[in-house]
Amino acid sequence: MRFNVVLLTALLMAGSAGAALPATSDLPSLAPMLEQITPSVVNIATYTTVQVRNPLMDDPFFRRFFNVPEQQQRYRRTKAAGSGVIVDARQGYIVTNNHVVDRADEITVTLSDGRALPAKLVGTDAQVDLAVLKVDSRKLAQITFADSSRLRVGDYVVAIGNPFGLDQTVTSGIVSALGRSGLGIEGYEDFIQTDASINPGNSGGALVNLRGELIGINTAILAPAGGNVGIGFAIPSNMVSAIMAQLIKHGEVQRGRLGVRVQALNPELAQAFNVNVAEGVVVVEVDKESACAKAGIAPGDVIVRVNDRDIKRIVDFHSQSALLMVGDNVNMAVLRDGKQRRVNFDLVAESLEQIAGERIDPRLTGVALQNFRSENDPTTGAGVLVTDIGPDSSALERGLRPGDIIVALNRKAVRSIAEMSDQQPSPNGQMLLRVYRAGEFGYIVLP
């Protein structure tokens, strides 16, 4: 579908001249496209049970002084709302943001025709902020995926969702930028930026092109004053499709680990490593026994291509890494000593249920880590358990203790060792751990 620019210009000129428009004129409109796709965008309501805590009641001296009896734990029920997109009408699969359904006890999906359906959580990926739900119903409408790699800055886009509880709200704009990263929103960031109005409640909704094809899942806004300022972000449809397939197949994302740390190539590094390119990433460190180590990748190599994606910036490398799953074949173009070489290898599953902390970061030397999952604890749910710490560990001096459950690294939620290992370093170089200990959360900084 395209805007008829000539017709639109003629209409505007006629209107400005005070002339009446012909009753038979077909005005440019998005309505036909929207009538086809809005039934695929749904409202999501979540209900969560949270513990009500009074810090004073946790103090035994306070209770004894005021003769307050021991109290049982109290909980209250909260409600939140967001949006979702039906991606498989036959199976009833719906894609939304992870933060829309995070820690929800009950999820209800309301369709455009008013039907309210209970939804089951199929799987989530906090690193990309995506989740897949499933409903049992007939007569669902699904959306068609577009190839987000073909997007250009300036393309017209339309955002559909339920901001502030206003069902089936449509806003329009353009693609303002591509490949946005470094925003501190998710672990893997490769956002489409748009000026189409996105507000609270739009999260998980659809960003579509003028053909009504899904090009992204709306996920965040930049709102320094607390309201919409025309800077919204969406997860590209190609990434959504890859993560969705993993969640449906496995219930989780079995992301393969390349096992390398990189930094951006600059003119000085290009000269030092004798390469004649201006863009790429330089391998700084290679984990022992990792896929890249076994393939012969070494520090100082310049990676310029991974599979079908050119690697010009660090965001390109991290975004492509987010799409590499266990079992995938990786074809990598690497520059070494001025010559390009091709490296081909398969990503195999690594046992990351229990590892030594130094495999993640040298600052965790002496720390033994293990995946932690609890279906009965609504507070933690999942994280990384510290099973042991050596007496000479610097992490011990900084306050980390056996039994601590690490639930976030550098302000990004982590639910497993794999997610913790995949986290990008903090801009200030510190390692900020959020831990759960004895019923309370706290922070530990490892410089």
Side-chain angles (χ1 to χ4, degrees), residues 269-421:
L269 289 173
Q271 183 177 4
F273 292 117
N274 190 29
V275 295
N276 59 354
V277 296
E279 298 174 312
V281 295
V282 181
V283 176
V284 177
E285 185 179 0
V286 182
D287 294 340
K288 295 181 179 179
E289 303 302 319
S290 67
C292 279
K294 294 177 181 178
I297 301 297
D301 287 349
V302 177
I303 301 174
V304 294
R305 191 173 181 83
V306 177
N307 288 347
D308 58 352
R309 180 162 184 169
D310 290 331
I311 306 300
K312 298 180 179 181
R313 303 170 299 161
I314 287 182
V315 62
D316 297 329
F317 180 80
H318 288 310
S319 298
Q320 187 65 19
S321 298
L323 302 178
L324 296 177
M325 307 302 169
V326 171
D328 285 354
N329 180 262
V330 180
N331 192 297
M332 191 177 289
V334 175
L335 297 177
R336 180 186 297 174
D337 297 328
K339 298 180 180 179
Q340 184 176 113
R341 57 194 299 257
R342 291 280 181 175
V343 179
N344 190 280
F345 56 91
D346 292 327
L347 285 176
V348 298
E350 289 187 272
S351 177
L352 291 178
E353 285 295 315
Q354 185 170 2
I355 66 170
E358 53 262 35
R359 286 190 59 186
I360 294 177
D361 192 279
R363 286 167 289 195
L364 293 174
T365 299
V367 180
L369 302 173
Q370 178 179 313
N371 281 341
F372 172 84
R373 298 178 183 88
S374 175
E375 300 295 335
N376 300 321
D377 187 348
T379 307
T380 54
V384 178
L385 175 66
V386 178
T387 58
D388 190 27
I389 302 182
D392 298 328
S393 173
S394 60
L396 182 67
E397 296 178 1
R398 288 285 172 173
L400 195 63
R401 296 290 182 268
D404 287 351
I405 301 172
I406 301 171
V407 296
L409 170 61
N410 296 332
R411 299 186 179 181
K412 299 293 189 307
V414 292
R415 297 169 182 256
S416 66
I417 290 172
E419 288 188 1
M420 189 172 176
S421 179

Side-chain angles (χ1 to χ4, degrees), residues 94-210:
I94 297 171
V95 168
T96 185
N97 286 137
N98 172 67
H99 75 261
V100 170
V101 298
D102 189 31
R103 304 189 188 281
D105 304 319
E106 181 183 340
I107 305 172
T108 300
V109 170
T110 303
L111 307 180
S112 61
D113 60 11
R115 284 180 290 167
L117 308 172
K120 174 186 175 183
L121 182 62
V122 175
T124 65
D125 183 14
Q127 294 289 82
V128 177
D129 194 18
L130 285 175
V132 174
L133 310 177
K134 190 177 190 303
V135 295
D136 294 323
S137 182
R138 297 179 180 179
K139 297 182 179 179
L140 298 178
Q142 73 181 47
I143 203 163
T144 301
F145 278 73
D147 181 358
S148 57
S149 69
R150 298 174 65 88
L151 281 176
R152 299 177 301 169
V153 173
D155 286 350
Y156 286 105
V157 295
V158 177
I160 311 170
N162 305 282
F164 303 110
L166 301 173
D167 296 345
Q168 297 292 312
T169 296
V170 178
T171 57
S172 64
I174 63 170
V175 173
S176 303
L178 296 168
R180 284 296 191 215
S181 65
L183 305 173
I185 300 173
E186 312 301 343
Y188 292 101
E189 297 182 349
D190 187 16
F191 293 122
I192 302 166
Q193 181 183 326
T194 178
D195 63 350
S197 294
I198 297 175
N199 291 286
N202 267 117
S203 291
L207 188 69
V208 303
N209 59 25
L210 295 186

Side-chain angles (χ1 to χ4, degrees), residues 68-99:
V68 177
E70 293 285 343
Q71 294 183 346
Q72 294 183 341
Q73 291 182 337
R74 298 173 55 195
Y75 296 89
R76 63 183 175 89
R77 200 159 171 79
T78 63
K79 180 180 178 180
S83 305
V85 182
I86 301 173
V87 293
D88 188 328
R90 187 171 63 87
Q91 298 293 333
Y93 288 122
I94 297 171
V95 168
T96 185
N97 286 137
N98 172 67
H99 75 261

